[in-house]
């Protein structure tokens, strides 16, 4: 398999992705003590960059992390990684780790926070050839880490519940997984939010989930189309009984869910509402209210 190419920014320097390295003493590595965000670039334009940076800064503040650069400088670093990568369609990640404490002290306040950014080729949860088939989900019995323990609105790398859930999904013949909360409501999956559709109404969980930027986009686009939007608990039974279902993620946009626990949703087809939202979502990628050119950021 060809090595992944891309460009990273680590400790103030741009390097090929294969050479981007951090200390094994970084709290980010040792304790998953970090936050991150992922934005995508499509045809040379960042999609909703401001919203991603807002969420990243809010997550950092919640975790008592300090970004070593100003907001504008961060945007330029992300744009510069993308420009150097040469990709028109890119997956662009920003990470802030607790960093290393010079004396290996146990006090997180002693650590020097570290910013890492990188741009690699656009990554799909659902590859283009799979889009018509849609996602096959398993609903895991593994409970999502409770929001009282780790706030899922702070984008984080506490993924052992998801990773164990993925193995369970593979054993059950599904491509990916969605976890439930303690009350048996749907939460989210590894890298995506979930929606159900019933008639002209869409619904997505209100709690225990990352407030995805693609989730927000789906909500705004649905309202533009006059659909009703509900943000409320979704019992697993409601997912199984929905007219349609879809997942949302920066890594792939709005993606149909056509199978849940081996039973077809919407007859195993991509439903009309899902199809409409997918079309509008990609149309927004050239709308200057929703996207910013990489070149414009660098020349500002
Ligand atoms: N939920 C989780 C746990 C995620 O990690 C992600 C993205 O990585 C999402 C939802 C979707 O968020 P967004 O639409 O901002 O990519």
């Amino acid at each position: 398999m060809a090595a992944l190419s891309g460009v990273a920014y680590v400790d103030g320097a741009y390097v090929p992705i294969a050479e981007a390295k951090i200390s094994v003493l970084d709290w980010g590595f040792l304790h998953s003590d970090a936050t991150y965000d992922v934005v995508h670039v499509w045809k040379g334009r960042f999609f909703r960059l401001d919203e991603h940076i807002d969420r990243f800064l809010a997550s950092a503040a919640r975790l008592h992390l300090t970004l070593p650069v100003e907001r504008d400088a961060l945007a330029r670093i992300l744009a510069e990684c993308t420009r150097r990568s040469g990709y028109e369609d890119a997956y662009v990640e920003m990470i802030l780790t607790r960093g290393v404490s010079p004396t290996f002290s146990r006090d997180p306040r002693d650590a020097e926070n570290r910013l890492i950014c990188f741009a690699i080729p656009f990554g799909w949860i659902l590859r283009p050839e799979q889009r018509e088939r849609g996602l096959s989900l398993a609903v895991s019995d593994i409970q999502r880490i409770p929001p009282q323990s780790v706030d899922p609105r702070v984008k984080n790398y506490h993924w052992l519940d998801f990773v164990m859930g993925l193995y369970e999904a593979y054993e059950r013949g599904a491509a990916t997984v969605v976890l439930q909360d303690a009350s048996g409501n749907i939460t989210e999956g590894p890298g995506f939010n979930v929606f159900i559709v019933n008639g002209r109404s869409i619904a997505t969980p209100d709690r225990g989930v990352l407030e995805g930027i693609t989730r927000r986009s789906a909500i705004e686009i649905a309202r533009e189309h006059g659909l009703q939007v509900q943000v409320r608990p979704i019992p697993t039974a409601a997912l199984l009984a929905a007219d349609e279902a879809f997942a949302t993620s920066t890594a792939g946009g709005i993606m149909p869910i056509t199978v849940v626990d081996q039973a077809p949703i919407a007859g195993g087809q991509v439903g009309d509402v899902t199809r409409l939202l997918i079309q509008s979502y990609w149309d927004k990628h050239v709308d200057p209210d929703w996207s910013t050119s990489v070149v414009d950021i660098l020349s500002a």
Side-chain angles (χ1 to χ4, degrees), residues 16 76 95 107 151 159-160 184 186 189 231 238 282:
R76 289 180 70 85
I95 306 166
D107 185 337
D151 185 349
W159 269 46
L160 289 184
I186 293 295
V231 182
W282 288 105

Side-chain angles (χ1 to χ4, degrees), residues 11 115 223 271 287 294:
D11 295 334
L115 174 68
R223 289 194 173 124
D287 182 337
V294 173

Side-chain angles (χ1 to χ4, degrees), residues 36 38 52 55 144 155 159 162 188-193 210-215 248-251:
Y36 74 111
V38 178
H52 283 279
R55 184 173 67 182
R144 179 83 176 106
K155 199 164 157 66
W159 269 46
F162 285 142
E188 57 189 341
F192 58 88
N193 293 109
L210 178 73
E211 292 171 348
I213 305 297
T214 324
R215 170 181 180 267
T248 59
S249 171
T250 296

